[in-house]
Amino acid sequence: MFNLAKITIATISLLSLTSSKKVYIDNDGLTAPVALIPLKNGWEIVGMSGSFGSASLIDSMGQISNILNVYNLSSCIPLYEGANQPLLRRKETFKIWQSMFGDLVWQGAYDDHYEDMYTWDNVTYDQSIPAALALIDIVKKYKDEDPVYIYSAGMMTTVAQALSLYPNLVNDSAGLYIMGGFFDTQFAAATGTPIVNDINTDINFIDDPEAAQIVLTAGWKNLVIGANVTNYLVPSQKLYDKLIEKAGGNLTKIQNTPYLSPLSQLLATGNYSQNNEQQTLPFWDEVVVAFLTDPSLILNSSNFSVAIDTQFYSPFYGNLRIWGNEFAPKGVKTGNATIVNQIDDDKFYNLILDVYLDEYRSYCSDGSIGIYNITEEI
């Protein structure tokens, strides 16, 4: 006998999915909430791509593929291969610039000691089309029905490639949201510990300044930059304790449960103070995708004229520059952007608490998201 209630719920879920807002995500790696928050907030992810930046291209693609596989999302969220290198910058020039103006604490895939973690054999993705072309096709497909939002949480190279092929991307999409764009952080970077220096250094723009300048000044209908607000939302022992409790209170079982592997990576030892620096970074990408898909999180924002310093012989090469609109320079191309200054912290942390412990493995089949129960895992 058919379960009419389940069929009805599945039908409603699929109907809501077809009418939901849509987002394309490009990233230089991925944490689980970046993929899960849009779904939790009723959005549809129409495509994702991994690009070179904080990680190599293969590792960016591998991280995204792994997350999609863990949550059984690969069949309904296509993954494409993004940019493999910046438009102009290369490792050699990256090193030359550092020798003139100081080393960066975090050098991403350009670090001399960087080693790939993944191979293409364990990456599931659509090999038929590169990400820039896929992004153009997807934006064109929905431009009249429900324009796609673009979220770029790494270098801007893939989006810049798409713009070079199809400048009308700015008109056909709903807008661009960016993780990056720190400003007025020179004092903090200079006086803080290495991890504080890292947190206040904007490698997303520094890795490919020319692409960032092209993208930020392209004339988007809606350009929103996460900027400094993303630095202040960080993990804590209180959040760790709540996550462990909600997952059943047994850290060892969490660590041995494949579905909870992304949560286990966040928790590590389960003790916030014992985690290493790479496991206690702010919720950078998560914050922006959260207020993109739930604007009620935003408590304060400002509008500015913006540009990227693209002068190689400048200590601020790759840094965001902002001006009041009436004071914007005339000799430099600028864009108009909204910079988010404050969000609802408690609401964000509650969202993080939820998304790690929801059940997404039926999402692609019926559009449903349930409550995860660790006791049901075999």
Side-chain angles (χ1 to χ4, degrees):
M1 179 180 292
F2 291 106
N3 187 322
L4 183 59
K6 287 186 176 180
I7 293 174
T8 302
I9 291 172
T11 302
I12 292 172
S13 297
L14 288 172
L15 286 173
S16 64
L17 182 61
T18 58
S19 61
S20 61
K21 288 188 175 180
K22 297 170 173 58
V23 60
Y24 181 100
I25 298 172
D26 178 71
N27 207 337
D28 55 355
L30 194 74
T31 62
V34 177
L36 304 182
I37 287 173
L39 308 184
K40 176 77 172 177
N41 286 335
W43 284 51
E44 179 185 1
I45 301 175
V46 291
M48 302 185 81
S49 52
S51 299
F52 175 93
S54 287
S56 63
L57 176 63
I58 176 57
D59 282 350
S60 294
M61 293 288 287
Q63 289 170 33
I64 299 172
S65 177
N66 181 60
I67 293 294
L68 295 180
N69 288 334
V70 166
Y71 294 101
N72 196 32
L73 297 170
S74 297
S75 63
C76 63
I77 300 179
L79 173 61
Y80 305 98
E81 183 181 352
N84 192 23
Q85 63 184 21
L87 296 183
L88 296 181
R89 194 159 219 185
R90 297 295 180 266
K91 185 174 181 178
E92 293 75 18
T93 58
F94 185 74
K95 297 295 184 183
I96 291 171
W97 182 84
Q98 285 186 104
S99 69
M100 293 190 294
F101 298 110
D103 289 344
L104 302 178
V105 171
W106 176 248
Q107 301 182 17
Y110 276 153
D111 191 291
D112 288 333
H113 304 290
Y114 188 93
E115 294 183 4
D116 293 337
M117 298 181 296
Y118 291 86
T119 65
W120 289 106
D121 293 338
N122 48 30
V123 178
T124 303
Y125 70 105
D126 186 334
Q127 302 182 42
S128 67
I129 186 172
L133 292 177
L135 174 58
I136 293 169
D137 288 347
I138 290 169
V139 167
K140 284 182 176 180
K141 178 179 178 180
Y142 295 108
K143 67 183 180 69
D144 298 320
E145 170 194 337
D146 190 4
V148 173
Y149 287 81
I150 303 168
Y151 175 37
S152 184
M155 291 195 308
M156 301 296 110
T157 317
T158 298
V159 179
Q161 289 175 338
L163 283 169
S164 70
L165 295 168
Y166 187 64
N168 214 37
L169 194 75
V170 298
N171 299 314
D172 289 352
S173 65
L176 174 70
Y177 280 64
I178 290 174
M179 160 48 213
F182 305 149
F183 56 91
D184 297 336
T185 60
Q186 187 178 359
F187 182 82
T191 60
T193 61
I195 185 62
V196 172
N197 181 293
D198 177 16
I199 288 172
N200 287 279
T201 303
D202 199 0
I203 195 169
N204 281 358
F205 289 172
I206 290 174
D207 257 350
D208 195 345
E210 290 74 24
Q213 172 66 356
I214 289 169
V215 170
L216 265 64
T217 62
W220 303 90
K221 291 183 291 187
N222 185 27
L223 173 62
V224 181
I225 300 175
N228 295 12
V229 70
T230 63
N231 273 344
Y232 306 131
L233 282 297
V234 297
S236 66
Q237 191 63 55
K238 182 179 179 181
L239 179 64
Y240 278 35
D241 293 343
K242 285 184 176 181
L243 284 165
I244 294 170
E245 180 183 4
K246 189 171 181 178
N250 187 328
L251 180 61
T252 300
K253 185 163 186 179
I254 294 170
Q255 293 169 336
N256 293 330
T257 303
Y259 184 77
L260 296 179
S261 58
L263 174 60
S264 181
Q265 290 172 17
L266 172 68
L267 296 175
T269 63
N271 187 325
Y272 176 75
S273 64
Q274 292 178 5
N275 284 354
N276 66 46
E277 292 177 348
Q278 290 307 309
Q279 293 166 325
T280 55
L281 293 172
F283 288 113
W284 283 316
D285 300 354
E286 297 88 340
V287 169
V288 179
V289 81
F291 66 64
L292 160 60
T293 56
D294 182 5
S296 70
L297 278 167
I298 300 173
L299 300 180
N300 182 271
S301 62
S302 304
N303 294 318
F304 294 104
S305 293
V306 298
I308 302 297
D309 188 340
T310 56
Q311 300 180 76
F312 182 78
Y313 294 100
S314 165
F316 302 108
Y317 179 49
N319 279 247
L320 178 72
R321 317 302 292 174
I322 63 172
W323 300 268
N325 294 321
E326 67 274 26
F327 303 115
K330 303 297 188 294
V332 175
K333 188 177 183 181
T334 61
N336 296 316
T338 297
I339 291 180
V340 176
N341 303 316
Q342 182 183 8
I343 70 166
D344 186 327
D345 296 0
D346 290 338
K347 190 173 181 180
F348 172 77
Y349 286 124
N350 286 334
L351 179 62
I352 291 294
L353 191 62
D354 285 343
V355 296
Y356 270 113
L357 291 160
D358 279 341
E359 174 60 78
Y360 295 87
R361 285 176 289 190
S362 296
Y363 178 84
C364 284
S365 60
D366 61 21
S368 67
I369 299 173
I371 299 175
Y372 176 76
N373 187 346
I374 193 172
T375 62
E376 295 180 355
E377 290 287 339
I378 299 174

Coordinates of all heavy atoms in Angstrom, one line a residue, residues 180-186 200 202 225-229 231-232 304 319-322 339-341:
G180 N 35.1 38.0 1.0 CA 36.4 38.7 0.9 C 36.2 40.2 1.0 O 35.1 40.6 1.3
G181 N 37.2 41.0 0.8 CA 37.0 42.4 0.8 C 37.3 43.0 2.2 O 36.7 44.0 2.5
F182 N 38.3 42.5 2.9 CA 38.7 43.1 4.2 C 39.3 44.5 3.9 O 40.0 44.7 3.0 CB 39.7 42.2 4.9 CG 39.3 40.8 5.1 CD1 40.2 39.8 5.2 CD2 37.9 40.5 5.3 CE1 39.8 38.5 5.3 CE2 37.5 39.2 5.5 CZ 38.5 38.2 5.5
F183 N 39.0 45.4 4.8 CA 39.6 46.7 4.7 C 39.9 47.3 6.1 O 39.3 46.8 7.1 CB 38.6 47.7 4.0 CG 37.3 47.8 4.6 CD1 37.0 48.8 5.5 CD2 36.3 46.9 4.2 CE1 35.7 48.9 6.1 CE2 35.0 47.0 4.7 CZ 34.7 48.0 5.6
D184 N 40.8 48.2 6.2 CA 41.2 48.8 7.5 C 41.7 47.8 8.5 O 41.4 47.8 9.7 CB 40.0 49.6 8.1 CG 39.6 50.8 7.3 OD1 40.4 51.3 6.5 OD2 38.5 51.3 7.4
T185 N 42.4 46.8 8.0 CA 42.9 45.7 8.9 C 44.4 45.8 9.0 O 45.0 44.8 9.6 CB 42.5 44.3 8.3 OG1 43.0 44.2 7.0 CG2 41.0 44.2 8.3
Q186 N 45.1 46.8 8.6 CA 46.5 46.9 8.6 C 47.1 46.8 10.0 O 48.1 46.1 10.2 CB 47.0 48.2 7.9 CG 48.5 48.2 7.7 CD 49.0 49.5 6.9 OE1 48.2 50.3 6.6 NE2 50.3 49.6 6.7
N200 N 43.3 38.6 8.9 CA 43.1 39.9 8.4 C 43.8 40.2 7.1 O 44.1 41.3 6.7 CB 43.7 41.0 9.5 CG 42.7 41.1 10.6 OD1 41.7 41.8 10.6 ND2 43.0 40.4 11.7
D202 N 43.6 39.4 3.0 CA 42.5 39.0 2.0 C 43.1 38.2 0.8 O 43.2 38.8 -0.3 CB 41.8 40.3 1.6 CG 40.4 39.9 1.0 OD1 40.1 38.8 1.0 OD2 39.8 40.9 0.6
I225 N 29.3 42.5 -0.6 CA 30.6 42.0 -0.1 C 30.6 41.7 1.4 O 30.1 42.5 2.2 CB 31.7 43.0 -0.4 CG1 31.8 43.3 -1.9 CG2 33.1 42.5 0.1 CD1 32.8 44.4 -2.3
G226 N 31.0 40.5 1.8 CA 31.0 40.1 3.2 C 32.0 41.0 4.0 O 31.6 41.4 5.1
A227 N 33.2 41.1 3.5 CA 34.2 42.0 4.2 C 34.4 41.6 5.6 O 34.4 40.5 6.0 CB 33.8 43.5 4.0
N228 N 34.7 42.6 6.5 CA 35.2 42.4 7.8 C 34.2 41.6 8.7 O 34.7 40.9 9.7 CB 35.5 43.7 8.5 CG 36.6 44.5 7.9 OD1 37.0 44.2 6.8 ND2 37.0 45.6 8.5
V229 N 32.9 41.7 8.5 CA 32.0 41.0 9.4 C 32.2 39.5 9.4 O 31.9 38.9 10.5 CB 30.5 41.3 8.9 CG1 30.2 40.6 7.6 CG2 29.5 40.9 10.0
N231 N 34.9 38.0 9.7 CA 36.1 37.7 10.6 C 35.6 37.5 12.1 O 36.4 37.0 12.9 CB 37.1 38.8 10.6 CG 38.1 38.6 9.5 OD1 38.2 37.5 9.0 ND2 38.9 39.6 9.2
Y232 N 34.4 38.0 12.4 CA 34.0 38.0 13.8 C 33.2 36.8 14.3 O 32.9 36.7 15.4 CB 33.3 39.3 14.1 CG 34.1 40.5 13.7 CD1 33.5 41.6 13.0 CD2 35.4 40.7 14.1 CE1 34.3 42.7 12.6 CE2 36.2 41.8 13.7 CZ 35.6 42.8 12.9 OH 36.4 43.9 12.6
F304 N 29.2 51.6 -0.9 CA 30.4 52.3 -1.2 C 30.7 52.2 -2.7 O 30.2 51.3 -3.4 CB 31.6 51.6 -0.4 CG 31.6 51.8 1.1 CD1 31.2 50.8 1.9 CD2 31.9 53.0 1.7 CE1 31.1 50.9 3.3 CE2 31.9 53.2 3.0 CZ 31.5 52.1 3.8
N319 N 44.4 44.6 -2.7 CA 43.5 45.0 -1.6 C 42.3 45.7 -2.0 O 42.4 46.5 -3.0 CB 44.3 45.8 -0.6 CG 45.2 45.0 0.4 OD1 45.0 44.9 1.6 ND2 46.2 44.3 -0.2
L320 N 41.2 45.6 -1.3 CA 40.0 46.3 -1.6 C 40.2 47.8 -1.1 O 40.7 48.0 0.0 CB 38.8 45.7 -0.9 CG 37.5 46.5 -1.0 CD1 36.9 46.3 -2.5 CD2 36.5 46.0 0.0
R321 N 39.8 48.7 -2.0 CA 39.8 50.1 -1.6 C 38.3 50.6 -1.7 O 37.6 50.2 -2.6 CB 40.6 51.0 -2.6 CG 42.0 50.4 -2.9 CD 42.9 50.1 -1.7 NE 43.3 51.3 -1.1 CZ 44.0 51.3 0.1 NH1 44.3 50.2 0.7 NH2 44.4 52.5 0.6
I322 N 37.9 51.4 -0.7 CA 36.5 51.9 -0.6 C 36.5 53.4 -0.5 O 37.4 54.0 0.1 CB 35.7 51.2 0.5 CG1 36.3 51.6 1.9 CG2 35.7 49.7 0.4 CD1 35.5 51.2 3.1
I339 N 28.4 46.7 1.5 CA 29.2 45.9 2.4 C 28.5 45.7 3.7 O 27.9 46.6 4.3 CB 30.5 46.7 2.7 CG1 31.4 46.7 1.4 CG2 31.3 46.1 3.8 CD1 32.7 47.4 1.5
V340 N 28.4 44.4 4.1 CA 27.6 44.1 5.3 C 28.5 44.3 6.5 O 29.6 43.9 6.6 CB 27.2 42.6 5.2 CG1 26.5 42.2 6.6 CG2 26.2 42.4 4.1
N341 N 28.0 45.1 7.5 CA 28.7 45.4 8.7 C 28.4 44.6 9.9 O 29.2 44.4 10.8 CB 28.5 46.9 9.0 CG 28.8 47.8 7.9 OD1 29.9 47.7 7.2 ND2 28.0 48.8 7.6

